[in-house]
Amino acid sequence: MTRTTEHHIDMNETLGNVPASRSGVAITPAHRHFFRALPKAELHCHLLGAVRHDTFIALAERTGAPIARSEIDAFYTRGEKPVGVLRVLRALDEYLLTRADDLHRIAYEYLQDAAGQNVRHSEFFWNPTGTVRVSKIAYADAQAAIVAAIRDAARDFRISARLIPSIDREADPDEAVQVVAWMKAHRADEVAGLGIDYRENDRPPELFWEAYRDARAAGFRTTAHAGEFGMPARNVETAVDLLQCERIDHGYTIVDDPALAARCAERGIVFTVVPTNSYYLRTLPPEQWAELHPLRRMAALGLKIHPNTDDPTLHKVDPAGAWQLMFDHFGFGIADLRRFMFNGIDGAWVDESQRAQWRTAWAAEFDALAAALP
Ligand code: ADE
Ligand code: ZN
């Protein structure tokens, strides 16, 4: 392998190992600096999808997990047709996370990595059901450990963060109601709202109406993974109209329902999109992947989209890479990225005075950085 090839692979890894760009947009070192330095919110990242490869290995060694080193390395390899990462998250719950301190470690390391990419604010998902039922760590201890990591990271890396306990939609809907009961019993300022994730197929949002009703009644914010894995726009509609979600994670199939898209655009609902989403890398032809990807059409429909990493260490992408993909693969310009930055602020679950302050400060930083681009 030549040095040039090695270099190519290194660069591509931070971009999710996606097909090469055919857009003709040239990326200079100044652009790379720009994507890294621009002030970012991250609103869609899963704690277990952000575990460092070497931390995974260290945890596996400590617990004596029955996972061969080659299997771990395979977890952290992104093929051209990625199979998805959910089995890796299950393995973490089952074999690697055995005490609350493990959750502190992975949350603190995730926030350190994000802060290193100029993520100023992160709202990240964690599934309590697996932690409590599978890892056998009590909810109170687990949440306290993650909240402590958020506070430690704020002190050490100047990043603010919120935790989004998230429903495992493959589990029974009663487990979801239990998650909200735990959240109510253990309130902390950093625990902002409720999410739902894992495999959407055969697990439509309406199954979880009760948990969402309880969360709303208790004053929690709400978001939902919907319209992922090619699941119908109807799931987005259900998340918005029945569950009354304020944000949508993914939501790609909304492009099949322009009337619904118009309503969501009108309401200013923020869609946290993921350029490296496995489903589209697997199902779209590589040479047309960037062209046919629905997130382009979502923006054209007037929806407020915001780019995210989802499972950064497993997708082989970092926040700078996710933003770069919007620019060099998906055809968005610098002015579009500026709008996406504001969408992230609009969607953040912090008070309006904080958002107003970020709008002013981040816009000034963005504009100074953009002025230095060739
Ligand atoms: N958990 C982690 N990443 C996910 C995704 N992209 N979809 C659903 N659940 C997830
Ligand atoms: Zn996700």
Side-chain angles (χ1 to χ4, degrees):
M1 189 183 283
T2 66
R3 289 192 66 84
T4 330
T5 315
E6 272 170 26
H7 182 70
H8 170 75
I9 288 169
D10 282 353
M11 292 319 302
N12 195 248
E13 279 218 332
T14 63
L15 293 180
N17 202 27
V18 302
S21 175
R22 300 157 61 92
S23 69
V25 173
I27 295 296
T28 66
H31 284 92
R32 286 204 184 85
H33 172 73
F34 173 77
F35 297 124
R36 193 184 175 95
L38 72 89
K40 290 178 270 296
E42 176 140 88
L43 302 179
H44 182 165
C45 182
H46 302 265
L47 178 59
L48 299 198
V51 176
R52 295 175 184 166
H53 191 169
D54 58 358
T55 297
F56 195 111
I57 293 166
L59 290 170
E61 278 171 3
R62 191 198 75 216
T63 60
I67 310 174
R69 175 62 194 269
S70 57
E71 199 179 345
I72 297 176
D73 294 346
F75 285 165
Y76 282 86
T77 304
R78 188 86 164 153
E80 252 173 51
K81 300 269 177 193
V83 288
V85 304
L86 301 183
R87 76 213 148 96
V88 184
L89 314 186
R90 297 292 186 200
L92 275 154
D93 274 339
E94 182 147 6
Y95 301 115
L96 302 195
L97 302 169
T98 62
R99 50 197 201 199
D101 191 51
D102 297 334
L103 293 165
H104 181 281
R105 175 179 178 174
I106 63 175
Y108 183 81
E109 289 179 353
Y110 157 60
L111 292 169
Q112 179 175 24
D113 293 343
Q117 294 260 312
N118 246 334
V119 172
R120 301 283 172 81
H121 177 73
S122 167
E123 298 182 0
F124 61 96
F125 298 108
W126 157 62
N127 299 98
T129 302
T131 298
V132 175
R133 306 276 184 241
V134 181
S135 307
K136 310 259 185 260
I137 304 169
Y139 181 89
D141 298 341
Q143 182 187 287
I146 299 171
V147 167
I150 288 174
R151 293 177 187 168
D152 292 346
R155 178 197 63 214
D156 297 346
F157 314 123
R158 295 173 154 272
I159 181 171
S160 79
R162 298 282 185 272
L163 179 62
I164 310 177
S166 193
I167 294 167
D168 174 353
R169 75 195 317 156
E170 295 174 38
D172 193 282
D174 287 343
E175 297 279 7
V177 173
Q178 177 63 254
V179 167
V180 178
W182 286 327
M183 290 165 68
K184 287 165 63 178
H186 303 282
R187 284 182 191 270
D189 290 342
E190 290 83 355
V191 181
L194 180 70
I196 182 169
D197 65 309
Y198 278 110
R199 227 173 106 83
E200 191 178 335
N201 309 51
D202 307 319
R203 306 299 286 165
E206 58 267 28
L207 293 173
F208 305 93
W209 66 274
E210 212 174 339
Y212 274 84
R213 177 202 60 192
D214 293 354
R216 270 198 325 278
F220 290 110
R221 315 295 296 267
T222 51
T223 186
H225 282 52
E228 196 192 2
F229 310 105
M231 291 298 105
R234 184 179 181 82
N235 285 2
V236 178
E237 184 169 36
T238 305
V240 170
D241 290 335
L242 178 69
L243 305 186
Q244 295 181 33
C245 287
E246 305 159 63
R247 285 198 320 236
I248 294 292
D249 304 304
H250 301 293
Y252 312 112
T253 52
I254 195 171
V255 298
D256 300 331
D257 186 343
L260 174 63
R263 279 204 293 129
C264 291
E266 166 76 27
R267 284 177 52 177
I269 290 176
V270 172
F271 286 72
T272 65
V273 298
V274 175
T276 53
N277 182 257
S278 307
Y279 176 79
Y280 292 106
L281 282 166
R282 201 165 56 238
T283 56
L284 293 174
E287 63 288 355
Q288 285 184 295
W289 166 75
E291 221 181 329
L292 298 180
H293 201 294
L295 66 78
R296 280 182 186 254
R297 277 171 285 152
M298 292 171 79
L301 285 163
L303 294 168
K304 289 173 82 165
I305 64 170
H306 177 255
N308 290 270
T309 58
D310 205 4
D311 299 292
T313 55
L314 300 171
H315 285 198
K316 299 285 180 196
V317 72
D318 55 25
W323 284 75
Q324 182 180 326
L325 287 170
M326 302 299 274
F327 181 77
D328 71 353
H329 282 65
F330 292 114
F332 296 107
I334 297 296
D336 298 313
L337 299 191
R338 196 175 189 275
R339 279 192 297 110
F340 301 157
M341 181 183 73
F342 283 115
N343 292 345
I345 296 173
D346 292 349
W349 290 343
V350 297
D351 58 42
E352 179 49 34
S353 64
Q354 177 65 263
R355 281 199 297 268
Q357 198 231 310
W358 284 341
R359 280 188 198 103
T360 309
W362 295 13
E365 282 189 61
F366 186 102
D367 294 342
L369 289 162
L373 284 174

